[in-house]
Structure formats: structure tokens, C-alpha cells
DNA sequence: TTGCCCTCTGTGACTTTATCACTGAAGCAA
DNA sequence: TTGCTTCAGTGATAAAGTCACAGAGGGCAA
């Protein structure tokens, strides 16, 4: 049964109706939930797993905009749902994900009848705007070596020691070219902070923050 | 009296209440409507003029995120309003602006009682997310000379022939350094596409698109 | 096992952009 | 005029993006 904190905002009656109307689906890694241009079928609630949202520019380059995990709402879908426009980005499952979709009719009803539901939706929107503003700042003003180290460090603190990712994919994460990633990683390897192998990056000695001082 | 398309979404009774409760204010160019860290006092409706929203990163650099004009809603404020967090960006008046502020209590009531009002708010959110996603792509993948020319061209098509702006300000528009803007403008002057003077840029012969081909 | 092929990685050469440091010009006010 | 402040121009250098290509790794079919 669907378990998502936004359901907690509903009173018993609405929650029951909602649980009756939605069904949860499971998606394997690599599955594309929606791609650019597609139309929106409802508001996806992420119950678990990890989904990345990325866009591909006119230049042909891609960049990861943000990730969604357990208890997240796919805020991006709301705009498409309300205006009928197609998605501008695509969503790809990273870790096997569980998703429930709230159909438009039900969404409208929940927005109408629950102030707490509205609040949760608005909060989600606010957070997403914040995320994107921070990303703009990051992309515009931060050095690529710092951004790469921060990205790796974030994985390291999640307990991951060996990452399975290609330089190309890492380039999309950071919005840069594969060659740039390769060169920066090689430099990190020279400093003994990582060990490289085809499709793998082993984190051996990343130092937070101070490596660029 | 306040004139804003979102008021059209309200029925007569709610509109009357709203008009009773809000008052419009005028702000001169340069006026700061809110700055980073400040808390939100209500949802601003832009009735006229032009307001730019920009943020300053940890790096100390600024970048213009988007602009608001007549009939816009300051979507950014909603998140702050609902969560109580401070603003992450600042809003500065460019052309003398007229603004009405919907206090939180009234906003909650309108969200509760008008489906059309909700729709308008959601649409506004959706558009803003789109804007920011496009900006990320722009900043990450487009060349600075193209972005500068596009920026100037947009002004040219608005009928402006002489822009009053410094290279520093133009740098903030594009999220780059003043020197970069100076050099690129100098190159455009060599190609007879602009004439430069202290604090002014005269657009003499900008060619759309093909200059970089 | 061998050979083939496709993907991934490494790297040189060059362009574009960012940063730093400094110079000089334009406007303003005492 | 002198002095001050802001704005613009530019050389030197570092970082990042682009292009082109070489070679390594790994899977798979013969």
C-alpha cells in the first residue's frame, strides 16, 4: 500500500478515497518515467528509490537538474498537469523506484478540499525553485574541480566506496564534457584521492573542502 | 485600483474582499523590494513596470534569474510565505513598478475558495520552473558571445536603440565577469554592430542568429 | 582461443572564458 | 583646476570547453 508523507495531510475520508484511486508501480533502474515533450498523466508521488531529472539542451548536452527520493513529489509534473504543456525534462530511475500517480481529477479534488495538502504542494514547489536557483549559481560560478569533488564527497558520505559510473555520465551530472571529467579525475588519481578503472571510481582519500585551498 | 489578471479568476464576492484588503504601492527604479534572507510579508502581484530577481552566490558573483512584469505573480514569495524561510534572492525595480501585496491570511483564503485562483498560481509556478531550467541550460552550455548578442537583440526588438547599462551590470545579467563583457562588446564594436560610450550601448547593426555561424 | 567490435578512457592542440592586476578615461564636486 | 570615484580597456595567465584521435577493456561470435 502506498506510503507517502503527503497522504498524512489528508483526513481519513480523503485518504481512503485516495488510496482507493491510486496504485503503486515499481520501476527498474534505467526505466524512463517521462521524457521531454511527453504529456503528463498525473502527479507522481515517489514512495521509494531514486529518480534523476535531467534535461538536454539545444546544444545536445545534458545536465542533471535534481533527484527525487522517498517522500518526494514530482513538482515538475504539476505545471504540465495544469497547463497541458509537455515536459521539458526527462526522468530516469536510478535505484529501483516505487511510484504512485495521482490522476488529475483526484489532484484537483485534494487541492480543493485539503489545506494541508495544498501546503505540502506549495512547500515542494518552493524547495524545487530553491534547488534550481542554487544549481544556476553552482553552474555559473563554481569551479569544475570543486564541483566534481563535492559530488564524489556526497557519495562518499553516503557510504559508497566504489561508484559505478562512466566519465560520460559524470559529465551529464555536472553539465560538462567527458574530457573535462577524465582530466580532473586523473588529477585526483595522481593525488591518490581516487582509483580509476573502466566504469568505476574508487574513493580512497577525498578530503572535504580543503583540497582547493 | 489594482488591476491584475489573477483577480479575474475570483468571483465577485472574493474579488471585492480582495480589493478591500490590498493596496497598491509604487516603487521607483532601483528600489529593493526584498533582499536575500528577508522574510516574506505576503504575495506580491506585479501590476506594472519591471522588476528583476537576482541572486548573489557564495562566490560573491550575482546573476539575474528572471524578470517580472505586468500581470506577473512573485512566485518565489509563495515558498517563503508557506515555509517561513527567508528569500534566497533579491528583487530590484528596473522600471517604476506598481505592486499589490496579498497578505498570507487572504492568500490562504483565496487558495481555499477559488479553483481558478489555484490554477493561476500553479501555472505561474510551472512557468517559473521552466524559466529556471532554461537558464541552467543557457548558463551551462551556451557561449558567452551568443548569449550577449541575444540579450542585446532582445532589447533591439523591443525598440530600444540606446541602452543605459554598464558592463558590470551586463555581467550580472549574464552571470559573467565585467572584463568578459567589455572584451565581447569591443569585438562587436569592431564589427560595427554596436557603438560604445561610458554607460551606454548603441545598437547599430545586430544581425540575428547568423553572426556566430 | 582468437579476432572483431564497441564503448570507455587518455591526451595533445587549440579556443573560449575566468581571474588578476593594472592603466587610463569620463564625470562630478570642492 | 585638482582630486575622487566609477567605468572601461587590456595584457598575462589559469581554467574549462572543443576537436581529433589513439589505445585499452571487455563482450561476443566464429
Amino acid at each position: 500500500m502506498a506510503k507517502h508523507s503527503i497522504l498524512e495531510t489528508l483526513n481519513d475520508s480523503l485518504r481512503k478515497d485516495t488510496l482507493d484511486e491510486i496504485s503503486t508501480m515499481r520501476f527498474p533502474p534505467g526505466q524512463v518515467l517521462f521524457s521531454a515533450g511527453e504529456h503528463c498523466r498525473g502527479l507522481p508521488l515517489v514512495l521509494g528509490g531514486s529518480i534523476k531529472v535531467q534535461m538536454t539542451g539545444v546544444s545536445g548536452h545534458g545536465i542533471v537538474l535534481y533527484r527525487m527520493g522517498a517522500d518526494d513529489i514530482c513538482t515538475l509534473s504539476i505545471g504540465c498537469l495544469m497547463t497541458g504543456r509537455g515536459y521539458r525534462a526527462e526522468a530516469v530511475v536510478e535505484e529501483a523506484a516505487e511510484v504512485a500517480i495521482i490522476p488529475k481529477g483526484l489532484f484537483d479534488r485534494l487541492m480543493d478540499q485539503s489545506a494541508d495538502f495544498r501546503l505540502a504542494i506549495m512547500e515542494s514547489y518552493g524547495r524545487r525553485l530553491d534547488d534550481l536557483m542554487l544549481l544556476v549559481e553552482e553552474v555559473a560560478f563554481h569551479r569544475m574541480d570543486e564541483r566534481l569533488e563535492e559530488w564524489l564527497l556526497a557519495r562518499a558520505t553516503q557510504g559508497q566506496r566504489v561508484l559505478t559510473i562512466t566519465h560520460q555520465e559524470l559529465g551529464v551530472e555536472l553539465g560538462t564534457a567527458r574530457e573535462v571529467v577524465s582530466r580532473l579525475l586523473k588529477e585526483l588519481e595522481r593525488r591518490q584521492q581516487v582509483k580509476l578503472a573502466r566504469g568505476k571510481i574508487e574513493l580512497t582519500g577525498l578530503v572535504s573542502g580543503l583540497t582547493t585551498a
Side-chain angles (χ1 to χ4, degrees), chain A:
Chain A
M1 203 188 67
K3 191 164 165 45
H4 191 287
S5 65
I6 201 166
L7 299 176
E8 308 298 315
T9 65
L10 303 174
N11 63 34
D12 292 348
S13 154
L14 281 177
R15 184 158 62 241
K16 182 177 178 313
D17 290 356
T18 302
L19 289 173
D20 284 349
E21 211 168 319
I22 64 181
S23 58
T24 78
M25 288 170 292
R26 294 172 170 285
F27 298 102
Q31 172 93 39
V32 175
L33 288 193
F34 54 79
S35 33
E38 248 178 64
H39 286 269
C40 184
R41 294 176 306 282
L43 174 64
L45 306 180
V46 181
L47 309 177
S50 173
I51 298 166
K52 65 179 172 184
V53 173
Q54 60 189 33
M55 78 181 300
T56 301
V58 288
S59 50
H61 292 86
I63 183 170
V64 173
L65 297 172
Y66 57 87
R67 295 192 144 67
M68 299 184 291
D71 259 12
D72 271 335
I73 301 163
C74 182
T75 322
L76 188 57
S77 298
I78 305 179
C80 300
L81 204 57
M82 305 303 268
T83 64
R85 275 176 302 132
Y87 284 106
R88 192 179 292 286
E90 65 171 353
V92 182
V93 175
E94 284 194 312
E95 298 164 31
E98 210 173 342
V99 175
I101 293 189
I102 299 185
K104 176 158 169 46
L106 177 59
F107 175 73
D108 288 342
R109 195 146 58 87
L110 297 178
M111 285 295 283
D112 188 66
Q113 296 178 12
S114 169
D116 288 338
F117 182 84
R118 283 200 294 273
L119 177 61
I121 294 293
M122 293 301 186
E123 275 181 354
S124 170
Y125 252 130
R127 248 178 292 122
R128 205 55 79 207
L129 278 183
D130 258 27
D131 286 351
L132 284 178
M133 294 195 303
L134 287 176
L135 181 60
V136 168
E137 200 263 336
E138 175 110 354
V139 168
F141 303 127
H142 290 337
R143 293 175 42 129
M144 198 50 79
D145 55 354
E146 294 175 26
R147 291 181 55 209
L148 174 60
E149 287 189 47
E150 278 164 23
W151 195 95
L152 294 173
L153 204 54
R155 303 296 148 140
T157 54
Q158 282 173 23
Q160 298 190 47
R161 276 288 161 273
V162 179
L163 311 181
T164 301
I165 190 172
T166 66
H167 299 182
Q168 175 62 51
E169 289 167 326
L170 207 30
V172 172
E173 289 291 330
L174 300 171
T176 187
R178 197 264 314 160
E179 300 92 312
V180 174
V181 172
S182 288
R183 275 191 256 262
L184 291 173
L185 282 174
K186 211 64 194 167
E187 178 59 28
L188 286 180
E189 191 175 45
R190 267 177 228 116
R191 294 196 217 145
Q192 320 240 325
Q193 298 182 317
V194 301
K195 275 186 198 164
L196 302 176
R198 185 188 174 91
K200 305 262 180 223
I201 302 171
E202 185 182 347
L203 309 175
T204 52
L206 276 177
V207 188
S208 92
L210 299 173
T211 45
T212 53

